[in-house]
Each structure stands twice: as structure tokens, then as C-alpha cells.
Amino acid sequence: TEERRRHLQSLVGDLSDYSGVDIKKDKAGVRMGPNGDVQLLRTSLGELMILANINVTGDLLVNAMNSTIVNVGDFAVDAGQRLDELEDTRQYCKASLEFGAGWAVEYNIANIPFGANDTLVRFDRPITAAPGYGRLVDGVFTAPEDGVYVMMNKIRVRDGSVSDVEIDYMVNDASAESFEMWVSTGDSYGRRSGMSAIVSKLQEGDKLYAKSDLTTSLGVMGVTDVIQIPPNRIAFNVRAAGTNSSTVLPLTSLYEEKASWIVPQEFAGSLSNGVFTAPRAGLFYFICKERVQDSTEGDMEIEWTKNGEETEGGFEMWMHTGDSYGRRAQMSASLMLLDEGDFVYPFSDIGTEGPKNVVLSGFELEPGFPAFKVYNTAAYSYATAAVPFGDGIDAAIDFEISSSGAYEDGVYTVPENGVYFFTTKLRTGDNDNADIEIEWKKNGKDASSINYEMWLHLGDSSNRRSGMSTRLLECVAGDKIYASSDLVLTGSDDIIAQWTFSGFKVR
């Protein structure tokens, strides 16, 4: 199927220059050649000239059999329709790996990819059979074709480690965004986790991976997930940097834009001054990363707004205290169902002095595929270990697509087979000191073979704490997916103030 799709793609491209030619007037057409190739023809001085030989399997050419010359425009339309049919059923690349079970991996060589050793590939969906293409090999993802790809990375440093470590993305061994996601000093037991993500436009053969400039002699474990965005879906990335202490305005509009892109190019006007305006109705996933200057004082958060109104019950992703050098960075993401003309941007209620780096990115999802998002409407206690976040509370269902009733009490029951991408964000009550984690469960068991746990770090100057975790999971209908914690919140002030849970099926 993939070979036929590529043949048709080449054929339609070759015919595009001739699709307006009328065979009766201009004597141009197409026929099956003697070797099963397609010959593009035009008459000249009474003789047929072969303009192009196009390699394509004969069973696709219902209009060009028995050497009959047919109108090239009609043939191009037929080929285009067949290509569309194949595109509609095409599967796109997705891959996932885990590494570091039992703290077996030491990250003691700087700048090597996370996952370069002891890698366990959980599943992989390459779109070509070429060795290494569409796959995560030793922590490196090699793009199987030109397009847009999303990589999500989570790492956890062994408990008690004081070594500083970051997540920095590289494309072909060069920095992809000049953005470093530093891992905080951790919780009260020194348990440290961190995550970052990138939406990257790659060419066939490009190599994408995450690494750190610094090393740690203690163990590191992690998870890497990759999905490919179909070429007819919208995707974008904008990077900005500068100094501004203003609030409420879109984060990237406050600073000097360093680089940006959006595809397809026809939607270039949808991204302006840090605001994305939906050119058509659809489901979109947004990511914002922010880093403040090292040792800069002042608290900072990331909130999402839609049409000027806070979303997800006003969820605030607060920036943690930073590492031993005061290097601080944070990330937040949001799944949104938009109508044409809806506009979205990240902002902060609090502004800090000093330089900052901001990356805003997003991508459009397939219409009609199963998706959902819920969030809590009031703070609640989490007094029983390992139960789903959201269990027994009155949660607001933002939307359910092709999966009505699939969400209940913090659990999403997968409606159909496929690969799904899930996100949970968590914020505890201010001044809450209890340790808590985000751990993904599938049918009541760890969804991670390495027992990966995303711990919430010590909070900001007012002890406001937030964290998030994502996961790409291969599921069958009926699987039950949720996030939970092995630790509980037992004090009178120990509450879950804000929580969101969302997911979507990947094409």
C-alpha cells in the first residue's frame, strides 16, 4: 500500500503541469507503454513524442489500458482520486521507547541521546521498511519522510542525586530551539523528574533526539514518545526571547521573535503576535515552554486562554524553584476544540524582570477521531493511594469526540483499537508540602515497564506547585487508562487544587 501511494504521489506530481491540456485540441494524452509504464504524450509534426515515462504499477491505471490514449486531464483526476483514497486510510509514524529500568543507565557522557543505552522499544509504527527509518534507535529518531514530528521526553534522575541535568533537543547534532528544560532540585526526598517536548519540521533522514550538556554519575530513566503529523494538518512553532515584565498579554508577543514556521503555508496568517487563530474548526494540541534567566527572582506561571477567557478552570502551571544554579524552566500543554476564528495564546498573571525564552507550538488533529478533555471544578482531597485522579469528583467534561460516555470517575475507557496520546496536569494547594507524583496506569497496572514516576517538585516562593505528564499508549477497545499517585495528601491543607485529563487517538 505504501509503495502504491508513493507511485501515485509521483504520478500526480508529474501530471500536474499537463492537467489542463485537451487531447482533442493539443494532441496530448497518456497511455500504457510497452513495459507497463505510463507514457505522457504530445504530437509534434504528426508524430507522437514521449514527454515522460512514469513508473507506476499497472493495476492502478484503469483509464490507460491497451495502449489507448486518454485525456491527460481526466487521467490526472482519476489518479488524484485514487491517491486521496489511499491517504484517507494511511497510517502515520508513531514510536515509543523506555530506558533505565532499575537505574541501570548512567548518563556519564555529556551530549549523548537519552536512551542511547539499555533501550526497550515498547512499540513502533514505521511507515517505510527502510532499516532504522521511522524508528527510535539508541534514543535517536530518524525521520522517514519530510514532515512535522512531535517528540515528548520525560526523564527521572535517581533519588538523592544532586547533579544538575537538562533536556535539550538536537536535530542532526545541532540545537533545535536553543531552549534548555532544566530539572528542578526535586521534592522533599530529592525525587526529581522533568519533561519537555518539541514540534519539529524535519526532512527525510533528519535525526532528532534529546540530550543534556551535563552528566550525572547516578542512574537516569526515561520515556520518549514520537508521533508524525499528517501533511494536510496544521502545525506551527514560534520562538521568542527578550525582557518584559508585563502580564496577561500573549507570552510570545512580549518578546522579539527569533524564528517561526507554520504549515501548510496557506495558513501563515493564522499565527500573529503570539496568538494562533484557527482558520478552520478542529481539534488542536498546544505546547508552551518558558525559561527565565538564571537566578532571576520572581514567580512565573503559564495559563491558557481561548477567545480571551481562561480555559480548564483557570489551570496555572507554576514554575518550580530551579536547580542548584537557579536555572528554571517550565512547560504546559492544552488540548482544545476550536471553531473557525477562535484564538488561543498562553499568558501569565505574574510578570518577572530579566530575560526569558519562550517557545509556542501546536498541531491539528484528525477530525472525528476519539478525543476528550475533563477538569475539576473544585478542589478535592486525595486520601486513597493509587486511585485515579478525578475519582468520585464532579468533573467538567469539556468535550468528548467519538467516545461519548467513555470518561467516568477519572478513567477513560478506550472506545476503539489504536494508539492514543494522554495528558494529565496537576496542581496541589498552595503551601501544601506533601509529596505527590503522576503515574500512568493501564487496566490497573503500571503503563510503564520501568515504573516511571513524574514527581511534583518543591514550589515557588509561595509554594505553588504544578506538574504534568504525557504518555503514548497502544490500546485496544475496553482498555482503562488513568493517572494516579502512590502517595496521598492527608493534611488539612493537602488538596488537589487543579487537575486536567485529556487524550486523543493518533492517526
Side-chain angles (χ1 to χ4, degrees):
T1 299
E2 178 58 25
E3 182 181 4
R4 301 172 94 193
R5 189 192 69 81
R6 288 179 178 268
H7 277 314
L8 274 174
Q9 198 171 45
S10 174
L11 175 64
V12 170
D14 288 339
L15 291 175
S16 61
D17 292 337
Y18 301 93
S19 59
V21 177
D22 186 340
I23 185 174
K24 294 180 180 179
K25 178 181 178 181
D26 298 317
K27 306 299 182 185
V30 63
R31 73 177 181 187
M32 179 75 76
N35 297 320
D37 295 340
V38 178
Q39 295 178 332
L40 187 64
L41 309 169
R42 180 188 290 274
T43 58
S44 177
L45 300 177
E47 296 182 1
L48 285 173
M49 297 180 61
I50 298 176
L51 300 179
N53 284 297
I54 309 165
N55 292 318
V56 62
T57 53
D59 62 334
L60 297 172
L61 308 176
V62 295
N63 289 335
M65 301 300 289
N66 302 320
S67 297
T68 301
I69 301 176
V70 299
N71 180 279
V72 67
D74 293 341
F75 182 73
V77 169
D78 179 74
Q81 289 175 342
R82 289 169 177 270
L83 178 61
D84 289 343
E85 291 173 359
L86 287 179
E87 290 285 6
D88 287 343
T89 59
R90 181 185 175 195
Q91 296 295 312
Y92 287 88
C93 183
K94 44 258 190 193
S96 177
L97 68 79
E98 299 177 330
F99 66 92
W103 305 111
V105 173
E106 293 184 358
Y107 194 83
N108 52 16
I109 303 176
N111 297 315
I112 65 171
F114 289 120
N117 302 298
D118 189 45
T119 295
L120 171 64
V121 177
R122 290 295 297 274
F123 65 89
D124 189 348
R125 293 291 179 271
I127 64 169
T128 72
Y133 272 37
R135 297 178 181 274
L136 283 161
V137 178
D138 288 335
V140 178
F141 174 78
T142 304
E145 65 176 352
D146 295 358
V148 177
Y149 298 83
V150 183
M151 178 178 277
M152 296 270 186
N153 289 81
K154 299 185 294 186
I155 62 172
R156 181 184 171 195
V157 184
R158 190 167 188 170
D159 300 351
S161 169
V162 295
S163 302
D164 295 323
V165 68
E166 50 157 341
I167 302 174
D168 187 11
Y169 285 106
M170 308 292 284
V171 174
N172 299 329
D173 298 327
S175 180
E177 293 179 324
S178 299
F179 187 99
E180 299 166 331
M181 182 66 71
W182 291 95
V183 177
S184 168
T185 50
D187 67 2
S188 65
Y189 281 87
R191 289 171 290 209
R192 297 193 296 154
S193 308
M195 77 167 296
S196 191
I198 186 172
V199 179
S200 185
K201 188 167 59 172
L202 303 177
Q203 294 182 328
E204 181 179 348
D206 281 350
K207 298 185 181 300
L208 172 65
Y209 62 91
K211 57 89 176 177
S212 174
D213 289 336
L214 302 182
T215 64
T216 173
S217 59
L218 297 180
V220 175
M221 66 170 59
V223 180
T224 302
D225 295 322
V226 178
I227 60 175
Q228 180 186 6
I229 306 303
N232 60 343
R233 299 293 106 196
I234 299 168
F236 69 89
N237 181 287
V238 57
R239 293 188 288 119
T243 302
N244 196 306
S245 60
S246 299
T247 63
V248 180
L249 294 173
L251 282 176
T252 52
S253 72
L254 301 177
Y255 316 122
E256 178 185 356
E257 185 175 298
K258 298 299 182 181
S260 68
W261 56 263
I262 186 169
V263 293
Q265 186 58 36
E266 63 187 275
F267 299 120
S270 300
L271 190 61
S272 178
N273 294 323
V275 178
F276 174 79
T277 302
R280 59 191 180 200
L283 189 64
F284 295 82
Y285 192 88
F286 298 97
I287 302 167
C288 181
K289 300 185 294 186
E290 183 173 32
R291 181 187 173 192
V292 299
Q293 185 184 36
D294 301 350
S295 301
T296 298
E297 295 183 358
D299 301 324
M300 198 74 184
E301 48 135 4
I302 302 174
E303 289 189 59
W304 291 97
T305 181
K306 173 182 172 182
N307 298 330
E309 300 291 334
E310 294 179 344
T311 64
E312 303 171 331
F315 188 98
E316 300 169 338
M317 183 65 72
W318 289 96
M319 193 172 292
H320 50 66
T321 53
D323 66 3
S324 64
Y325 283 87
R327 290 172 290 207
R328 296 188 296 155
Q330 187 57 289
M331 165 182 159
S332 185
S334 183
L335 181 65
M336 296 194 197
L337 184 63
L338 304 180
D339 292 325
E340 181 179 349
D342 284 348
F343 58 93
V344 174
Y345 59 85
F347 73 99
S348 175
D349 281 336
I350 296 179
T352 61
E353 300 292 343
K356 307 172 188 68
N357 291 326
V358 179
V359 180
L360 172 64
S361 55
F363 53 91
E364 181 186 18
L365 302 169
E366 289 297 292
F369 275 39
F372 74 100
K373 184 169 78 170
V374 299
Y375 59 91
N376 67 313
T377 56
Y380 67 98
S381 61
Y382 188 80
T384 304
V387 302
F389 294 127
D391 179 50
I393 71 167
D394 184 18
I397 299 179
D398 194 336
F399 57 82
E400 285 184 302
I401 301 173
S402 301
S403 57
S404 178
Y407 169 82
E408 184 178 7
D409 285 336
V411 178
Y412 182 71
T413 302
V414 173
E416 60 186 53
N417 297 356
V419 176
Y420 290 75
F421 185 81
F422 297 97
T423 303
T424 281
K425 297 188 293 187
L426 195 68
R427 180 188 172 193
T428 59
D430 299 348
N431 298 317
D432 165 27
N433 294 312
D435 296 325
I436 195 167
E437 50 156 345
I438 301 173
E439 188 171 2
W440 288 103
K441 301 288 185 178
K442 180 179 178 181
N443 299 326
K445 299 180 180 179
D446 282 347
S448 166
S449 63
I450 61 173
N451 190 34
Y452 184 90
E453 299 164 335
M454 179 66 72
W455 291 94
L456 264 64
H457 303 147
L458 298 176
D460 63 7
S461 64
S462 296
N463 206 18
R464 291 170 290 207
R465 296 190 299 157
S466 306
M468 69 173 285
S469 184
T470 63
R471 196 65 236 255
L472 190 68
L473 294 173
E474 192 170 28
C475 302
V476 298
D479 280 349
K480 297 185 180 300
I481 309 298
Y482 61 91
S484 66
S485 173
D486 289 335
L487 300 184
V488 299
L489 304 174
T490 57
S492 59
D493 295 327
D494 297 338
I495 57 172
I496 293 177
Q498 294 176 311
W499 161 80
T500 72
F501 181 26
S502 65
F504 57 87
K505 183 181 178 182
V506 179
R507 170 73 180 271

